Amino acid sequence: MLIRSLAIIAIACVITPVIAANKQTAMQSTVLATSYTVQDLDTGEVLQSKNDTEVRSIASITKLMGAIVALDAFTDLSTTINVKHINGISTKIPNNTAMSISDLLHLSLMSSDNLAAKELARNYPGGEEQHIKAMNEKAASLGMHNTTYTDPTGLFDTNVSTAQDLAKLMFHASGYAIIRSFSTSSSYTLKIPGKKQPRIIEFRTTNRLVSSNSNIILSKTGWIKKSGGCLVMLIEQQGRRLAVILLNSKNTQTRIRDGALLYGLQHGQGF
């Protein structure tokens, strides 16, 4: 009887890890992004990855670097800019609205507003060309050797990078308190002065996960047809900072699902 019990225990010890491994493999196979990495930013340990050196279009993930160089250049974030509409760039911001650099950063990072990102670049010292140059110089200084920026919004499919390079960007961006705060806020209210009363415009986050998980300390989404759904998140939990980076998911909904799934692979849970 004792021998039989010991045999059962031994078999269970062998089978349990196999079942767990098979479950993880099955979960991985349902991730629709074709390129991703899950990495401990502080130790550099890569926990999950697939095609993480593949150069891909990154869409509005571009705005993360745009915010970094803007914060490096602008000394007074309360400085106001008269925002003007540009053909081909959609926005909820009314034409000829006076907005602070802080407002533009907030809308660029949280709701991925393209005009906000464009105005930050146009008003950068030396103009948009210098802004893009600064983005590429910063990428080179961070060792992002497979990254190229060609416009500040991410609308151009020639803004390219890899999941590995974006992990380096996440590490650097995490040092900016404003980027952490603005990129993870759920909503923002813009008040436009009116003759009788102000006009209220509500902006929402493009990553609904930040509303349900306070452990997300940095976030940015992206989408154009060439890039597919893109998402970068930094999650801080139990003293660990975990970067979840994914490119070329099927659409704007599956990028969020993929992000939650990749995080869940490491913690046995979703958001």
Side-chain angles (χ1 to χ4, degrees):
M1 189 70 178
L2 177 61
I3 294 174
R4 182 181 179 185
S5 298
L6 290 173
I8 291 172
I9 292 171
I11 292 171
C13 290
V14 172
I15 291 176
T16 300
V18 171
I19 292 173
N22 288 341
K23 181 179 179 181
Q24 187 176 63
T25 301
M27 290 177 72
Q28 272 186 283
S29 68
T30 63
V31 174
L32 298 178
T34 63
S35 174
Y36 60 78
T37 187
V38 181
Q39 182 176 325
D40 186 316
L41 278 194
D42 298 308
T43 67
E45 180 186 4
V46 176
L47 305 172
Q48 297 286 339
S49 68
K50 178 180 179 181
N51 300 326
D52 59 351
T53 60
E54 183 178 75
V55 178
R56 297 207 56 87
S57 178
I58 59 172
S60 286
I61 305 300
T62 297
K63 294 183 176 77
L64 197 54
M65 181 63 88
I68 287 172
V69 299
L71 285 167
D72 288 346
F74 293 118
T75 55
D76 184 2
L77 300 187
S78 66
T79 300
T80 58
I81 293 171
N82 192 39
V83 177
K84 295 183 179 297
H85 283 182
I86 300 172
N87 288 337
I89 296 182
S90 60
T91 183
K92 290 173 64 177
I93 303 171
N95 194 31
N96 292 317
T97 298
M99 297 183 65
S100 68
I101 291 171
S102 178
D103 286 335
L104 294 172
L105 282 166
H106 202 149
L107 297 183
S108 175
L109 291 169
M110 182 198 74
S111 59
S112 207
D113 190 281
N114 290 318
L115 185 58
K118 186 76 169 179
E119 287 290 8
L120 286 170
R122 292 172 67 186
N123 289 274
Y124 185 86
E128 184 174 338
E129 185 176 336
Q130 287 301 311
H131 181 264
I132 296 170
K133 181 181 178 182
M135 291 168 69
N136 284 301
E137 288 176 347
K138 178 66 74 171
S141 73
L142 296 177
M144 299 170 63
H145 301 305
N146 293 304
T147 298
T148 302
Y149 297 105
T150 57
D151 99 296
T153 65
L155 290 173
F156 291 8
D157 60 22
T158 45
N159 291 292
V160 297
S161 190
T162 67
Q164 276 192 7
D165 273 9
L166 292 176
K168 297 173 183 177
L169 177 62
M170 292 281 281
F171 184 87
H172 186 73
S174 68
Y176 293 76
I178 287 177
I179 292 178
R180 296 196 307 271
S181 174
F182 287 175
S183 71
T184 57
S185 60
S186 297
S187 62
Y188 185 70
T189 301
L190 183 64
K191 295 183 179 180
I192 311 297
K195 292 182 179 180
K196 295 183 178 181
Q197 58 185 10
R199 179 182 175 187
I200 306 298
I201 304 175
E202 292 287 342
F203 293 81
R204 301 288 179 183
T205 180
T206 53
N207 180 7
R208 59 179 172 76
L209 297 178
V210 302
S211 302
S212 59
N213 194 312
S214 60
N215 293 320
I216 301 175
I217 62 171
L218 196 155
S219 168
K220 189 70 197 78
T221 62
W223 163 263
I224 56 174
K225 186 174 181 180
K226 183 69 178 289
S227 73
C230 303
L231 174 66
V232 298
M233 295 189 297
L234 183 58
I235 302 109
E236 187 172 54
Q237 192 167 7
Q238 297 178 342
R240 193 180 205 186
R241 298 194 308 160
L242 204 65
V244 175
I245 300 163
L246 63 95
L247 304 174
N248 195 36
S249 189
K250 187 176 181 180
N251 54 49
T252 58
Q253 297 301 315
T254 61
R255 68 186 177 189
I256 305 300
R257 169 193 169 279
D258 284 351
L261 185 57
L262 285 170
Y263 175 78
L265 282 172
Q266 302 308 318
H267 297 272
Q269 59 183 9
F271 283 98

